[in-house]
Amino acid sequence: MPTVLVLGGYGLIGSACCRALSMADFQVVGLGRSRHAAMAAAPNQKWIFRDLSVLDAAAWKEILKDVDIVVNAAGALQEGPSDDLEAIHATMLNQLCAAAPPTLRLVQISAAGVSLEASTEFFRSKARGDAYVAGASCDWVILRPSLVLAPDAYGGTALLRGAAAMPGVLLEVLSESLIQTVYIEDLAAAVVAAARGDIASGTIADITEKEARPLPELIRKIRSWQGFPKLRLRLRLPNKILDLIGFGADIAGRLGWRSPLRSTAINVLRDGIRGDPGQWVAAGGTLPRDLDATLGALPATRQERLYARLYFALPLAILVLSVFWLASGLVALVRPTAAASALAGGALPTWAVGGTVIGGSLIDIALGVAILWRPWCRWAALGMVAVSGAYLAGGTLFAPDLWIDPLGPLVKVLPSIALALIVWLGVEDR
């Protein structure tokens, strides 16, 4: 039984490849750096946990000892705290190819439209990686999928779902951009065919449906598939507004959020995502199904609609919580006397009132900042729940009159707790 090593085996494409290869009687081993993500994706599969971006040729030789086929499904959209495009798309492949024995077959999953002259570093770094693969002494096949649609909602596929499900208005964006799609199962089948040797070594082929369509039409088709009614109200989003959104998403990216609205994704969509399946069919591959057939194969469930409706609500909830806690802390620091007056005259000793106000203000500000930092977000949400509970308990004990205050300072804590719990439940790693 041939052994296949799948790089990035717990990602959207990588996990689909692992499943398809396993069903095709390959011995599958995944490689990635996150044990948590691997166990969530395939806990019973064999895994190697290493950071791909730092492996040299010697390390690769050790890893490849008992491997017959390598499928590279690793990648990143844009530079970020944990993503180095040159390292993961190019340098890693250079080291792997230098270590690869002539008997190895390497299946590189790239992207339709890659070019050294592309407008984004994503495509340029992918092109440099493809060049290393094409110069390798082992057998190799390069597959270049267009926009991948999958049952799992992540990245671009999640963004399209969210945009299509917006209530009351249908956004018209990048109307001139032409998009082709590919169903993830068709891409995984192409990987299996390449791994089996059914596709000749040296093949470079786009994996995509035949027809392209404008991005607004794609969004409308997805909305129809979701089962939502047609909308008469359509809002054309100017490119300048879209670029501003991308700028904001880039800032969020520096805080650890891998938003599909970052500038790279917007520029990729603006350029269009197109490919020619002719080379793939000529090499013996099966033409991927078109968009209508893809949507017909995907389940449009209640869970699907609920996720799509809440897609933009989660970042809004995080932003609202941050503003709420920052404002609460800053106002108390700016007006400590007014804040202390709410506690004065209660059971709390006078000497403790000032320290309670200042300490509480600093905690509020810290939590308001922490929830914006992706690695700390869930912990910050839990911290908000705990601190809110402490405020309620302290208020009840030392200033019970606040419960019947017309402005409801304690009552208003309850929806804040609920919102923080929603964020804690909703934020997860892919």
Side-chain angles (χ1 to χ4, degrees):
M1 182 183 295
T3 297
V4 183
L5 180 68
V6 180
L7 313 183
Y10 47 68
L12 178 72
I13 294 175
S15 58
C17 291
C18 287
R19 291 191 298 269
L21 289 163
S22 181
M23 293 178 64
D25 295 326
F26 287 93
Q27 177 68 40
V28 178
V29 180
L31 193 155
R33 63 187 173 188
S34 173
R35 181 180 296 272
H36 172 77
M39 292 301 100
N44 298 320
Q45 181 178 288
K46 184 177 179 181
W47 291 94
I48 298 172
F49 299 109
R50 302 289 296 272
D51 186 345
L52 289 167
S53 64
V54 300
L55 294 176
D56 58 18
W60 277 115
K61 285 183 179 180
E62 183 66 25
I63 292 172
L64 297 176
K65 272 185 179 179
D66 300 315
V67 172
D68 303 296
I69 304 148
V70 172
V71 174
N72 179 30
L77 176 67
Q78 188 167 323
E79 296 283 341
S82 60
D83 296 319
D84 183 335
L85 296 189
E86 181 65 20
I88 197 67
H89 291 163
T91 305
M92 181 271 289
L93 283 169
N94 185 25
Q95 296 298 317
L96 188 155
C97 291
T103 55
L104 183 78
R105 166 153 284 216
L106 174 58
V107 182
Q108 159 77 344
I109 302 176
S110 183
V114 301
S115 167
L116 294 175
E117 292 77 37
S119 64
T120 65
E121 179 59 19
F122 170 76
F123 277 152
R124 293 193 296 269
S125 61
K126 280 280 191 181
R128 291 192 291 271
D130 287 0
Y132 287 127
V133 173
S137 59
C138 63
D139 284 350
W140 56 267
V141 173
I142 298 176
L143 306 179
R144 292 173 170 170
S146 56
L147 181 64
V148 179
L149 298 182
D152 190 16
Y154 183 80
T157 62
L159 175 61
L160 289 174
R161 286 164 157 90
M166 288 190 68
V169 62
L170 190 64
L171 292 180
E172 295 276 354
V173 296
L174 303 176
S175 302
E176 299 79 19
S177 299
L178 296 177
I179 308 296
Q180 287 167 274
T181 65
V182 60
Y183 184 37
I184 196 166
E185 297 300 331
D186 291 341
L187 175 57
V191 170
V192 170
R196 281 176 172 162
D198 297 341
I199 306 300
S201 179
T203 296
I204 302 176
D206 295 333
I207 311 298
T208 182
E209 63 174 330
K210 189 174 182 180
E211 301 298 327
R213 65 199 51 77
L215 179 60
E217 180 183 339
L218 173 60
I219 294 175
R220 288 195 296 271
K221 281 182 172 288
I222 290 176
R223 182 177 178 85
S224 177
W225 161 74
Q226 289 170 328
F228 294 122
K230 291 183 179 179
L231 292 173
R232 293 185 178 181
L233 180 59
R234 297 180 181 179
L235 177 63
R236 185 177 180 85
L237 200 64
N239 287 344
K240 289 185 178 180
I241 299 297
L242 195 60
D243 290 337
L244 185 62
I245 292 172
F247 176 75
D250 285 348
I251 295 175
R254 294 297 177 183
L255 296 174
W257 299 95
R258 294 177 170 181
S259 170
L261 282 170
R262 286 178 289 175
S263 58
T264 291
I266 291 174
N267 289 332
V268 167
L269 290 174
R270 181 178 286 121
D271 293 342
I273 303 175
R274 288 162 291 174
D276 181 3
Q279 182 62 37
W280 174 244
V281 174
T286 301
L287 179 67
R289 71 197 80 185
D290 63 18
L291 175 63
D292 290 335
T294 293
L295 295 177
L298 288 169
T301 61
R302 181 176 179 275
Q303 298 95 301
E304 167 69 40
R305 288 186 286 274
L306 183 61
Y307 173 88
R309 284 291 200 204
L310 294 177
Y311 181 73
F312 293 110
L314 184 61
L316 178 61
I318 293 170
L319 184 60
V320 167
L321 282 172
S322 177
V323 171
F324 173 78
W325 283 79
L326 284 171
S328 175
L330 290 172
V331 167
L333 280 183
V334 172
R335 301 184 63 192
T337 303
S341 65
L343 298 176
L348 191 67
T350 303
W351 60 266
V353 171
T356 300
V357 169
I358 299 301
S361 300
L362 295 177
I363 291 173
D364 288 358
I365 293 171
L367 289 172
V369 171
I371 201 168
L372 296 176
W373 176 242
R374 175 63 184 84
W376 295 348
C377 180
R378 297 188 79 240
W379 289 107
L382 280 181
M384 289 175 176
V385 173
V387 172
S388 295
Y391 286 161
L392 291 178
T396 302
L397 182 62
F398 298 113
D401 289 348
L402 292 177
W403 280 107
I404 57 174
D405 188 294
L407 296 179
L410 291 185
V411 174
K412 291 176 181 177
V413 174
L414 297 176
S416 172
I417 291 175
L419 195 61
L421 285 173
I422 290 172
V423 169
W424 177 69
L425 291 169
V427 173
E428 64 174 3
D429 293 326
R430 63 173 174 177

